Every structure is written in structure tokens, then in C-alpha cells.
Amino acid sequence: MTEPVPVPVPELGRGAAPADRARLDRALDRLAVTFRGMTARADEAQCECHWGSPEELALLKLPDTELDLDLLHRTWSAPDWSDHGAVLRRVLPQFARVLTGGLGAYAYDIDKVGISFHRAAWQQWPAPQSAAVREFLHAWWAHALLNPDPAVPVHELLPLCAEASADIGPWLAVWDDLRHPVADRHLTDMIDQWEWDLLEDALPWRSWFVWSEEETEAVRTELTAWLAREAPHASAPPAHPPNSGTPHACSASPTPTAGKTRTHHATATPDAATPGGAGGPTSRTWR
């Protein structure tokens, strides 16, 4: 397992903490230097009907040329390059800047980003290149955890980083080490987003490319064990099912864990097996 990169924890203030913004800026600059001059392979090909024109493909074989955002999106998200790693290296400095801004009009494809990194096998690249990518992902993650309103929500960025590295542990370890109210609020928000999946013993995102069924279950187990430790789950019946337009009963009260304060979210899920009807409330805890 990759060792987590230490995260400096500054004072809480408006916007992202300056130290973490500076770290992310340095990581972006490092990508620009490390991948300067990279191109796709000379013999790289793509489908003119479904991907783009020969002129657009030719741009990938020229170094350091900015791409329009539509072409950039089609490039990193295409699943059928003969050398996906070379293509990603070609666009990575620009792609990383766009990523940290939230992908703009292409934010709907944020769940494909981790798969694109994974497909590129970046951890097998030469050491200076893989180290630059690793530091970028860790700097971005730390920046998001300490930013009250990150461009990519934490509940979307965690799956991205986990899939990019094929490992959820280091990202949870960074979060675990933080002592910061903003990071704690992100934890509460993530539980709000994921609680129903977790209560059904499901990984809260699809991960069909990165992990096998057995590996996916191991990731789910690690995630739920971490959540059970960091945000103990207290039971209270929901007033309505999710997405009904009516909020369910919840609380956010401080819960001490391992010498720090976290928040927990109270909920329960209807138990279809309850005698007497479709849905007497019942409580359960994450396993």
C-alpha cells in the first residue's frame, strides 16, 4: 500500500487553506515541467467517425499545444487508445488544471477520470513521472478536504483517487490524520450522499473497470470499517425514503473518536421483512 503523504493542517479560514493551495500549485507546476514535450505515439490512431478528425489527432502528436476543452475531454475519456499512457502524458498538464477547476461543462464525466488514470498505468511510469502524478493527486485531495467548497465534491473525489491508484487506504489515511472542522463537515456530507448505499452493503459508486467483484467487496469493507470508526452511526427512523423531497430525521452531534471530534449522522432504513407491512423502521450499523 502506498504510504500517505503528510498533510499540513493550517488554521481554518475563508476558502482553501493557503498552504494547501500553494502545495497544489506546486504540484501542477511539477506536472508541467515533468511532462513537457510529451506526445502521443506517432502511429497512434483513432476512429474519425466516432472520435475526431485527423487534424485533431495530429495535435496530440505535437508537444505542448493547448487543446480546446471538447478535444481535451474526448482525448482523456476515450477508452480505446493503443497507448493510453502516452496519450494521458501528452495532455496531463492541461488536464490536471481543468480537473482541479471541476471539469466545467464536462463535470458529468468526473466518474470516468479515475478510470482514465488507472488505464494509463501511471504507477508503472518512470519514477519522476509517477512521483509527480502521485503528488498531484495527494495535493488535490488535501486541498479538497480543507476547502469548504471544493470544485469537485469530496464524495466524488474519493472514488476518483481510489480508482486512479487502485487503493482506497491512503486517501482514508490522509483524512484520518486531519484535525480540522472543514474535513469533518465533508465527512458528514459524504455520509448524507452515501448512507443508503452503505446500509445496503453496496459500494457507493460503480467500479466495473478497476476492481474485480471480490476486490470491490474488500474496498467496501475497508471503507465501511473506516466510517464506522470515524463517524459512528446512530439510529433514528427516516421520515421518508431518499429522494422523496422531504428530509429524513438526522442529527449532527460531536462524537469523540481516537482523541478527535467527528460528527455522526443518524438514520435507519425501512426493513421490508418487518412483519405487518412494507417498512417498519429498523436500525442497523455499517459492517
Side-chain angles (χ1 to χ4, degrees), residues 39-64:
T39 66
R41 280 175 21 185
D43 61 349
E44 188 64 79
Q46 258 295 354
C47 175
E48 186 173 348
C49 297
H50 298 95
W51 181 82
S53 69
E55 291 77 18
E56 289 175 316
L57 180 61
L59 290 175
L60 302 184
K61 301 173 184 179
L62 294 175
D64 308 323

Side-chain angles (χ1 to χ4, degrees), residues 5-121:
V5 177
V7 179
V9 181
E11 295 296 323
L12 177 63
R14 294 186 59 190
D20 287 87
R21 178 70 248 187
R23 180 187 178 190
L24 179 57
D25 289 340
R26 288 194 301 271
L28 291 168
D29 290 343
R30 183 176 176 182
L31 289 178
V33 171
T34 302
F35 295 99
R36 182 176 297 150
M38 299 289 176
T39 66
R41 280 175 21 185
D43 61 349
E44 188 64 79
Q46 258 295 354
C47 175
E48 186 173 348
C49 297
H50 298 95
W51 181 82
S53 69
E55 291 77 18
E56 289 175 316
L57 180 61
L59 290 175
L60 302 184
K61 301 173 184 179
L62 294 175
D64 308 323
T65 303
E66 290 278 307
L67 309 180
D68 68 65
L69 294 182
D70 177 66
L71 177 56
L72 179 65
H73 172 255
R74 283 184 280 130
T75 298
W76 69 258
S77 62
D80 53 353
W81 297 108
S82 59
D83 188 342
H84 189 90
V87 170
L88 190 63
R89 287 191 293 270
R90 162 63 180 84
V91 301
L92 192 51
Q94 181 184 3
F95 182 33
R97 293 197 308 273
V98 173
L99 265 181
T100 57
L103 281 184
Y106 303 97
Y108 62 86
D109 259 352
I110 193 69
D111 60 344
K112 295 181 181 178
V113 173
I115 294 172
S116 183
F117 274 87
H118 182 78
R119 186 180 285 119

